Amino acid sequence: MEHSDFSSKIPTKIGEKLFSTVNLNIKFHIWMGFLSVLLLACFYAYYIQLRDGLGVTGIRDFVSWGIYLSNFVFFVATSLVGMLVSSVVGLSGKKWVIPITRIAEIIAVAFAAVAGLVIVSDMGRPDRLAYVFLYGRFASPIFWDVTVVTLYFGISFLLLYVTLIPDLALGAKFLKWRPKWLLWAYNLLSLGWKGTEREFAILKKSIRILLILIIPMALAIHTVTSWLFAFNPRAGWDSTIFGPYFVSGAFVSGLSCLMIAMYFFRKNYKLEEYLTDKLFDNVGKLLVLVSLVYIYFNINELIVPGYKLKTHEAIHLRELFIGHHSVLFWSVQIFGLIIPTILLLFKPVRKPFPMLLLGVMVLVGSWFKRFILVVPVQEHPYLPIQHVPEIFKVYTPTLIEIMVTIGPMVMVLMIITVLTKLFPVIPVWEMAEHGEVKENE
Amino acid sequence: MDNTNDKLNSTKEESRRKFLKNIGLVGLGGFAIGAALFSAKKFEEVKKGKNIRLLTADGNVVEVDSVHIKSVDKDLLTIQQEQGREGIVGRSWVMVIDLAKCRNARKCVSACQEAHHLRPEQYHINTLQMQDTPSTKPYHMPKTCQHCDNPPCVSVCPVDATFKRNDGIVLIDNERCIGCRFCIAACPYSARSFNWFEPKDAETFADVVYDVELNVPQKKGTITKCLLSADKLRKGELPYCVSACPNGVFYFGDANEDAVTNGTTKETVRLSKLLTDNAAYQLYPELGTKPRVFYLPPKNRLFPYTENEETKA
């Protein structure tokens, strides 16, 4: 009977509304079917790569890290939004983030989970994956990266799960007409949550510990990922600010992904009352803040070598500014970063629909920014590239490579779809607890 | 009531403990007897081996108990990997490349590619057309792995597939390599190549035991690189590229002996004197990689510079 005691504290209106999105309707099945077909096509592309070798991609001896690696950096970057929203903003006592904490955590879990697969697709010998653990060398940044990505995924997953437990217990009350297996799963996963004061005390303490733990982990994963490049004695990567540069860029790409997700759930899940204009306004301001920090790091990263123009740095920068990559470089900087930042300074722009458009611009820009960070440096090693076929000199991704890159993106969409269809996307118990705050702000 | 219950429980507990103890003892005893019988049987089997006649490497016929014969194939790989990792004790290999003598014959390239089963676009050694400043003349530069004493590639390798031996050679074990290509990203000398497809003549050499000091047969999805012909050095011979050069460009030897031998003239000279007299230099020493390959500047050239059509770009 204590059970109903807890669930009776949840206003029926909030509970029924937020649980109404938990249903596996026909739209869900069509969408998942489409994604599955797409994923199968991507798997076929990967099968060809396994059969014939990595040579089916555009990467060769000089540009040996292509869009697989830039996709990996993008995935790790985007997953950092979980830590930014839940920990940095949440721990500072801002209650307005409550409706988006779960969305942010789901994005974090999905991207972190698939990031590992992205890197496996880049391996020449994926059959020897276990060697990383069997013969792991502590001195290699890859060893650190594997460790921290796994830990970050683990903590993000725990954070998602732990904050879900009270909502799982509410399933019995609010999911009456759903399939039996779903109710059974809710009951099992809720671990017999009764909603007693002691349980809440333990829950909140655990959440707090996880929120604190995840901060160094998130900083570590993206800093270590930036070191995969900065540790190499190559002009263009040889930089001391790559850690913070990458971390600040990660917040930009993660927040833009969150903005798109927020718009989607607001429209399709009819959550206008919860994902309010005010919430979009706040997220818009947050994106301006992190973008300004990122622009600051961009200026540093470009002007310091640009002023000195040391031989090899100069070749690299010329390629970016006026050379082979200039169109992409300036498009990314202007349309993917500077224009969105300026526009978001104005209140009328910080509305859901304009923010969806800007979110797409920033997210696409973020992906290509990773390309700019990874590829051009390798096209200009210290020694000249001679006596090799043309494909060795200029990198162009192949169709198979693009398919293998799309595959992980499809997986992320599938994970996000399943999680947001099986569980309420907005934390019900936290909304009930802080409902009055929503009115105030 | 509770009290009696407790007592009852405790006696029950005791008898159960005793029972478990006994079971344990019986089990242990049984295991010991079984193990003894098993090892005795093993011993018997060993004694029952058949004598087999074998021809040794130096031509003698010997009789060996068949139980001592192990599959050579399997062991050869391990033996080669082990000695390959250790290197040749007491040696400190160095290479000196005299740029004044190079006329871009590319015999070093072809000898190397043949020995290591490389495709035409895969290089352990490549000759590059270099021009240091716009006002100085271009020259040809054979470029191998620099076998750095502070190798960036070895630092970043996640599985110890590429390693530094005590004789100075940086080797790659393609039975270990996972194909992450971090070493390619780390190498400032572009010394490494990858097997993007099934290697050349893969089917012909499918059954050959992998020799880590020759890196043959090559394997799809792994790295390949210059090994300073570690297999030749073990036989006391000069590297493939060094002996293939028609123009006397290469000197090779042991820094511990302070002596290097020219691959073409077979003349042996004092290493320190050669380096000092000719103002030898290393490639990008400012990177702190400490290369083992020295270059003698292209002064008083023996041949005029002729541009190679295919490398004009």
Side-chain angles (χ1 to χ4, degrees):
Chain A
M1 282 301 105
E2 295 135 298
H3 192 278
S4 60
D5 188 38
F6 165 57
S7 53
S8 65
K9 278 187 204 153
I10 307 293
T12 321
K13 188 174 154 270
I14 295 184
E16 283 184 349
K17 177 69 195 164
L18 293 180
F19 271 98
S20 72
T21 64
V22 180
N23 65 68
L24 307 178
N25 55 14
I26 187 78
K27 268 159 93 185
F28 167 80
H29 289 289
I30 293 172
W31 173 237
M32 286 299 281
F34 165 71
L35 290 179
S36 308
V37 172
L38 194 56
L39 189 62
L40 276 180
C42 300
F43 272 128
Y44 181 69
Y46 184 60
Y47 160 74
I48 293 176
Q49 180 183 312
L50 277 185
R51 191 191 62 193
D52 297 349
L54 266 176
V56 298
T57 65
I59 43 178
R60 285 296 182 272
D61 288 355
F62 297 92
V63 182
S64 85
W65 283 349
I67 56 175
Y68 293 162
L69 242 288
S70 37
N71 203 32
F72 169 72
V73 180
F74 173 77
F75 271 50
V76 173
T78 311
S79 79
L80 251 64
V81 71
M83 165 270 199
L84 175 69
V85 168
S86 308
S87 298
V88 177
V89 186
L91 275 181
S92 63
K94 299 278 183 286
K95 298 286 183 220
W96 61 263
V97 292
I98 289 172
I100 50 170
T101 46
R102 187 162 297 157
I103 301 175
E105 281 308 329
I106 287 175
I107 292 174
V109 165
F111 276 98
V114 182
L117 289 179
V118 179
I119 214 70
V120 171
S121 74
D122 188 61
M123 286 170 65
R125 296 298 300 241
D127 53 315
R128 295 179 180 172
L129 183 62
Y131 286 12
V132 178
F133 307 99
L134 289 174
Y135 306 108
R137 278 183 72 250
F138 183 71
S140 172
I142 288 186
F143 186 81
W144 314 345
D145 215 24
V146 170
T147 313
V148 288
V149 169
T150 314
L151 281 174
Y152 180 72
F153 169 73
I155 297 177
S156 293
F157 186 82
L158 269 181
L159 197 54
L160 178 63
Y161 176 60
V162 169
T163 53
L164 199 58
I165 291 175
D167 284 2
L168 291 166
L170 291 174
K173 184 182 174 189
F174 294 107
L175 289 178
K176 289 247 162 61
W177 45 273
R178 303 303 197 289
K180 269 238 161 65
W181 64 267
L182 188 64
L183 289 173
W184 179 81
Y186 262 66
N187 186 33
L188 184 76
L189 290 173
S190 70
L191 308 176
W193 174 269
K194 299 276 189 294
T196 61
E197 248 173 57
R198 190 158 165 273
E199 280 176 335
F200 266 111
I202 295 172
L203 179 81
K204 288 186 175 166
K205 197 170 181 188
S206 320
I207 293 175
R208 202 176 164 74
I209 291 171
L210 288 172
L211 285 178
I212 293 169
L213 272 181
I214 206 167
I215 295 175
M217 268 316 134
L219 291 178
I221 59 168
H222 217 44
T223 306
V224 171
T225 303
S226 82
W227 288 347
L228 297 183
F229 307 97
F231 276 7
N232 300 318
R234 301 280 293 264
W237 283 345
D238 199 345
S239 162
T240 57
I241 65 160
F242 254 38
Y245 178 43
F246 272 49
V247 170
S248 60
F251 291 152
V252 175
S253 81
L255 269 185
S256 63
C257 183
L258 179 67
M259 266 160 48
I260 298 168
M262 279 166 65
Y263 182 85
F264 178 84
F265 292 127
R266 177 185 152 102
K267 278 278 155 196
N268 282 41
Y269 288 23
K270 313 252 178 318
L271 294 170
E272 289 87 350
E273 287 170 70
Y274 295 90
L275 302 172
T276 58
D277 282 12
K278 176 72 188 155
L279 191 63
F280 274 84
D281 188 67
N282 280 335
V283 173
K285 285 179 188 162
L286 191 58
L287 183 62
V288 170
L289 174 69
V290 295
S291 297
L292 287 174
V293 175
Y294 192 42
I295 290 171
Y296 166 75
F297 275 111
N298 268 281
I299 293 170
N300 258 284
E301 181 57 23
L302 296 168
I303 205 167
V304 171
Y307 193 87
K308 289 175 284 194
L309 287 181
K310 282 151 74 182
T311 317
H312 297 280
E313 304 274 4
I315 295 170
H316 172 60
L317 289 178
R318 186 184 300 120
E319 285 300 315
L320 294 188
F321 292 162
I322 52 172
H324 183 58
H325 297 286
S326 58
V327 174
L328 187 60
F329 173 78
W330 290 113
S331 307
V332 163
Q333 299 289 34
I334 293 170
F335 300 111
L337 190 57
I338 295 172
I339 289 183
T341 310
I342 293 173
L343 287 180
L344 283 172
L345 287 171
F346 301 100
K347 198 170 172 67
V349 181
R350 292 197 298 270
K351 292 273 178 282
F353 187 66
M355 281 178 62
L356 168 73
L357 297 181
L358 293 176
V360 171
M361 276 169 69
V362 175
L363 192 67
V364 172
S366 297
W367 193 91
F368 282 102
K369 173 72 182 189
R370 303 305 179 282
F371 182 90
I372 292 282
L373 286 168
V374 172
V375 172
V377 166
Q378 299 170 79
E379 284 176 356
H380 296 280
Y382 290 108
L383 294 168
I385 302 175
Q386 291 172 354
H387 302 286
V388 288
E390 206 52 35
I391 184 180
F392 279 57
K393 296 178 188 170
V394 182
Y395 167 67
T396 323
T398 62
L399 184 64
I400 288 174
E401 197 176 1
I402 292 168
M403 288 299 286
V404 176
T405 305
I406 291 173
M409 298 178 181
V410 175
M411 286 185 206
V412 164
L413 285 178
M414 288 172 101
I415 294 175
I416 293 178
T417 308
V418 169
L419 288 178
T420 56
K421 269 296 176 188
L422 288 181
F423 305 108
V425 285
I426 292 173
V428 181
W429 65 276
E430 281 180 288
M431 286 311 289
E433 197 172 335
H434 299 286
E436 72 283 355
V437 181
K438 190 173 62 103
E439 316 300 329
N440 294 348
E441 280 194 41
Chain B
M1 186 67 192
D2 276 359
N3 219 349
T4 35
N5 236 349
D6 270 359
K7 254 186 194 165
L8 227 126
N9 276 345
S10 70
T11 44
K12 253 188 187 171
E13 191 88 337
E14 254 169 44
S15 68
R16 183 154 67 227
R17 242 181 235 158
K18 222 174 184 177
F19 175 71
L20 286 173
K21 211 165 148 188
N22 287 344
I23 286 270
L25 276 176
V26 169
L28 208 66
F31 178 76
I33 292 166
L37 284 173
F38 182 73
S39 56
K41 191 163 173 287
K42 266 272 180 211
F43 184 67
E44 277 304 300
E45 274 172 3
V46 166
K47 274 176 93 182
K48 273 183 198 152
K50 244 170 104 182
N51 277 359
I52 289 179
R53 287 190 173 188
L54 292 174
L55 186 65
T56 63
D58 49 358
N60 296 322
V61 177
V62 291
E63 272 197 357
V64 180
D65 196 309
S66 65
V67 293
H68 294 307
I69 297 174
K70 290 174 197 156
S71 157
V72 180
D73 272 9
K74 204 175 162 194
D75 272 0
L76 189 62
L77 174 68
T78 324
I79 290 165
Q80 283 178 341
Q81 276 175 325
E82 277 167 10
Q83 72 179 17
R85 278 188 184 260
E86 197 189 345
I88 301 165
V89 180
R91 298 296 187 172
S92 174
W93 304 115
V94 287
M95 184 183 260
V96 183
I97 297 175
D98 188 350
L99 297 173
K101 293 178 189 157
C102 180
R103 66 184 305 184
N104 202 25
R106 284 176 76 79
K107 294 283 184 248
C108 52
V109 178
S110 49
C112 169
Q113 289 185 326
E114 192 183 343
H116 299 293
H117 305 178
L118 298 175
R119 288 165 180 269
E121 72 275 13
Q122 288 182 306
Y123 297 105
H124 288 186
I125 182 168
N126 194 356
T127 61
L128 302 177
Q129 280 66 58
M130 301 290 290
Q131 186 167 13
D132 294 341
T133 71
S135 53
T136 49
K137 278 278 172 209
Y139 57 93
H140 299 288
M141 183 182 88
K143 184 218 66 184
T144 65
C145 167
Q146 303 293 299
H147 294 277
C148 310
D149 280 347
N150 182 19
C153 53
V154 170
S155 303
V156 298
C157 180
V159 293
D160 205 15
T162 192
F163 50 89
K164 182 84 180 163
R165 318 201 304 180
N166 63 27
D167 56 1
I169 300 180
V170 174
L171 224 61
I172 171 83
D173 181 350
N174 78 19
E175 288 289 337
R176 175 72 64 83
C177 176
I178 60 169
C180 70
R181 309 185 306 290
F182 203 160
C183 52
I184 290 190
C187 177
Y189 305 105
S190 312
R192 286 163 173 261
S193 187
F194 191 74
N195 283 303
W196 298 101
F197 296 101
E198 203 62 65
K200 194 179 127 222
D201 307 327
E203 278 172 34
T204 323
F205 299 102
D207 299 330
V208 176
V209 178
Y210 172 64
D211 181 356
V212 70
E213 292 191 332
L214 186 60
N215 201 33
V216 158
Q218 302 283 340
K219 284 205 172 55
K220 183 175 90 176
T222 63
I223 292 286
T224 184
K225 69 176 286 294
C226 162
L227 321 154
L228 282 185
S229 305
D231 62 317
K232 284 278 220 177
L233 300 178
R234 193 167 287 283
K235 286 185 248 166
E237 295 170 22
L238 289 170
Y240 298 101
C241 53
V242 172
S243 36
C245 178
N247 299 317
V249 173
F250 296 94
Y251 293 87
F252 191 88
D254 183 353
N256 288 343
E257 289 176 345
D258 196 21
V260 284
T261 306
N262 188 293
T264 315
T265 64
K266 302 289 185 285
E267 176 194 8
T268 298
V269 295
R270 198 160 282 284
L271 171 69
S272 51
K273 187 168 160 37
L274 183 72
L275 297 183
T276 315
D277 290 354
N278 295 285
Y281 68 95
Q282 295 168 320
L283 293 183
Y284 302 108
E286 68 274 21
L287 297 176
T289 49
K290 301 189 181 123
R292 280 191 162 255
V293 176
F294 294 89
Y295 285 92
L296 307 184
K299 66 160 199 169
N300 300 334
R301 279 186 244 176
L302 300 183
F303 309 101
Y305 178 85
T306 47
E307 194 157 340
N308 201 322
E309 269 309 303
E310 56 166 327
T311 52
K312 267 184 180 164

